Amino acid sequence: MTAPTIMPRRTQARKADMAARTRRRGRRGPLWYLGYLLLLVWTLITIVPFLSMLLLSLHPTADIYAHPLGFDGRWTLSNYASAWRGTVGGAPLSTYIVNSLLITLCSLAIGVICGGLAGYGLARATRRLSGAVSRIMVLALSIPLVVTLIPTFELLGRYHLLNSVLGISLVYAAFITPTIALIMRSVFAAVPRELLEAAKIDGCGEFAALLRIVLPVSKGGFISVSMLGLIFVWSEVQFGVVLLTRPQNRTLSVGLLSFQGQFVSDQGAFFAGLAMATFPIVILFLIFQRYVTSGITLGALK
């Protein structure tokens, strides 16, 4: 008796849903189609550089100058082998990749831990104190990074931290910590206070409640800030050029500049190395895109 009554209800629900969708489509005005067109144009603008980079990485340098779009000319895979070997007087690409991985891991470890603790402190502090410290962090983020370049160079030189993984990792961690703290403050503020009060009743202290209750429910926020920090550290060039002068200590983004010399440049190898450096980050970003988007939204709203 129940099956014949359930099926018509489901059919009616589907028909009602389809009718609602039809009505919504009918109400779409010119502005909706204009916005959709702008989104398509923006998507093409963001995709074309990656496709162009991939095409140019498959052409010799002479053909790149002759056909800048990369659709014509000879096709070759030797650029990737040249990029992997590196330039004369420089280090191979594998050395740059290892340096970038070490610096990225150290920077993220320091920045996420310090920024997470700072964000938790801001979330648990009074509204006046949290607002004042947050404004100071936002003011610090508004300062251009190039302004701090010379003081940072002098400070690392004084403590003999130039051309070292620890030195530049501390610099990158210092730059990403305020952003991580602001985003994690919003993430921690969304945790129900009832959970923390229940943890205190069970005998957990502040730090134990953070480890056992807050961190497990905030893993999405940590993935978000880790991805944002990864993108910044992996692609940063200004400080890497100044603070890492030895070829064997350079990061991947700085090492790629060696393919563009003052008199001779290997554009094919440069684009090949750029492709090898870019696409792993793009793939990671696509995998964790929803966490990054939610983290940016929380940081903007709170």
Side-chain angles (χ1 to χ4, degrees):
M1 296 296 294
T2 57
T5 58
I6 292 176
M7 292 303 295
R9 291 178 182 176
R10 291 180 178 176
T11 304
Q12 292 175 1
R14 292 196 188 102
K15 290 181 178 179
D17 185 45
M18 293 176 62
R21 292 181 181 178
T22 304
R23 287 194 298 269
R24 286 196 297 268
R25 291 173 184 173
R27 290 196 297 266
R28 292 172 181 174
L31 291 179
W32 186 90
Y33 291 101
L34 178 61
Y36 198 79
L37 178 62
L38 292 176
L39 288 177
L40 290 177
V41 172
W42 179 255
T43 303
L44 291 176
I45 292 175
T46 55
I47 292 178
V48 165
F50 293 101
L51 295 178
S52 177
M53 175 185 63
L54 183 60
L55 290 175
L56 293 177
S57 67
L58 299 174
H59 292 287
T61 301
D63 292 344
I64 291 176
Y65 286 115
H67 308 284
L69 296 179
F71 293 106
D72 298 325
R74 294 171 295 170
W75 299 84
T76 180
L77 293 174
S78 60
N79 291 331
Y80 287 89
S82 300
W84 187 259
R85 290 193 300 267
T87 59
V88 178
L93 200 68
S94 58
T95 302
Y96 300 144
I97 293 175
V98 172
N99 293 337
S100 293
L101 288 175
L102 291 177
I103 293 172
T104 301
L105 292 176
C106 292
S107 303
L108 290 181
I110 299 172
V112 171
I113 292 175
C114 295
L117 293 176
Y120 184 72
L122 291 175
R124 298 290 293 167
T126 61
R127 181 175 299 181
R128 181 176 298 179
L129 178 60
S130 177
V133 176
S134 298
R135 292 186 183 93
I136 294 175
M137 288 184 176
V138 173
L139 181 62
L141 290 174
S142 64
I143 300 175
L145 296 181
V146 68
V147 176
T148 63
L149 188 58
I150 295 177
T152 302
F153 180 83
E154 294 180 351
L155 182 64
L156 293 184
R158 183 180 304 174
Y159 292 100
H160 306 285
L161 291 176
L162 293 174
N163 290 300
S164 66
V165 173
L166 178 60
I168 197 166
S169 298
L170 291 174
V171 174
Y172 289 156
F175 288 142
I176 65 177
T177 295
T179 303
I180 293 175
L182 292 175
I183 295 177
M184 294 309 300
R185 172 205 174 195
S186 304
V187 174
F188 292 143
V191 177
R193 291 187 175 271
E194 290 78 8
L195 292 177
L196 300 177
E197 293 175 358
K200 288 183 178 181
I201 294 175
D202 292 338
C204 292
E206 197 73 37
F207 191 72
L210 173 64
L211 293 179
R212 298 179 182 180
I213 305 298
V214 179
L215 293 185
V217 300
S218 305
K219 60 180 181 180
F222 280 104
I223 295 175
S224 172
V225 296
S226 298
M227 283 301 304
L228 292 175
L230 172 64
I231 294 172
F232 169 77
V233 175
W234 191 267
S235 60
E236 204 284 324
V237 177
Q238 289 181 339
F239 282 84
V241 171
V242 176
L243 303 179
L244 302 173
T245 57
R246 298 174 184 173
Q248 63 271 19
N249 299 118
R250 292 173 180 168
T251 58
L252 182 57
S253 57
V254 178
L256 291 177
L257 297 178
S258 60
F259 292 104
Q260 294 184 328
Q262 183 177 2
F263 302 102
V264 179
S265 61
D266 191 350
Q267 296 293 328
F270 172 76
F271 283 109
L274 194 61
M276 288 188 286
T278 301
F279 279 100
I281 303 301
V282 173
I283 293 173
L284 286 176
F285 180 80
L286 293 177
I287 294 174
F288 300 103
Q289 180 183 7
R290 62 189 184 96
Y291 294 106
V292 177
T293 305
S294 61
I296 295 175
T297 304
L298 282 173
L301 295 179
K302 294 290 182 176

